[in-house]
Amino acid sequence: MLRVERRRMREAEFKTFCKGSKNKENRFCYYLGGLEESATGILGELSKPLSWSMPSDKICEKLRKKDAQICDLRFEKQIDLNNVDLKKLKLKYSR
């Protein structure tokens, strides 16, 4: 019973996160069912493996069976310019 309550709490937290999301985060929330206007609701399929500490690649494989668009989203890598050596950065991150 306690596990179910924790999972519901995670799902509620995700939905509150999604209310203020924009751009790619909004699209991600839409695909998972975190928004009110979402067509599908596979949020439970995400929260269960997360509670088991399953790696993101494995979670993506399982979610791909339900909706392939979720795994196609790519987010830009955030670079801390104060702590990074620009000479060692890959070309695509330095642009």
Side-chain angles (χ1 to χ4, degrees):
M1 186 69 169
L2 187 60
R3 290 182 185 175
V4 175
E5 291 174 14
R6 286 183 186 167
R7 192 183 82 218
R8 288 184 184 154
M9 285 176 46
R10 281 190 205 103
E11 290 175 5
E13 288 176 19
F14 185 76
K15 287 182 179 183
T16 56
F17 165 78
C18 288
K19 287 181 182 177
S21 64
K22 295 181 181 177
N23 299 330
K24 288 188 180 181
E25 284 112 9
N26 193 345
R27 190 174 301 152
F28 180 71
C29 290
Y30 178 78
Y31 291 153
L32 287 176
L35 298 173
E36 292 179 11
E37 65 266 5
S38 296
T40 61
I42 57 174
L43 194 52
E45 301 291 327
L46 174 73
S47 61
K48 286 179 189 177
L50 281 176
S51 68
W52 305 329
S53 301
M54 186 179 286
S56 61
D57 296 338
K58 294 290 183 181
I59 295 173
C60 190
E61 286 177 20
K62 290 184 178 237
L63 291 177
R64 187 175 299 240
K65 294 174 187 174
K66 304 278 183 180
D67 190 357
Q69 295 174 332
I70 295 170
C71 298
D72 292 337
L73 285 175
R74 297 287 179 234
F75 293 90
E76 296 174 8
K77 189 173 182 178
Q78 298 294 324
I79 300 172
D80 184 14
L81 295 176
N82 296 329
N83 298 328
V84 73
D85 185 10
L86 295 176
K87 293 180 182 177
K88 293 183 181 180
L89 249 159
K90 291 184 180 180
L91 182 63
K92 71 178 184 178
Y93 296 128
S94 63
R95 291 183 181 182

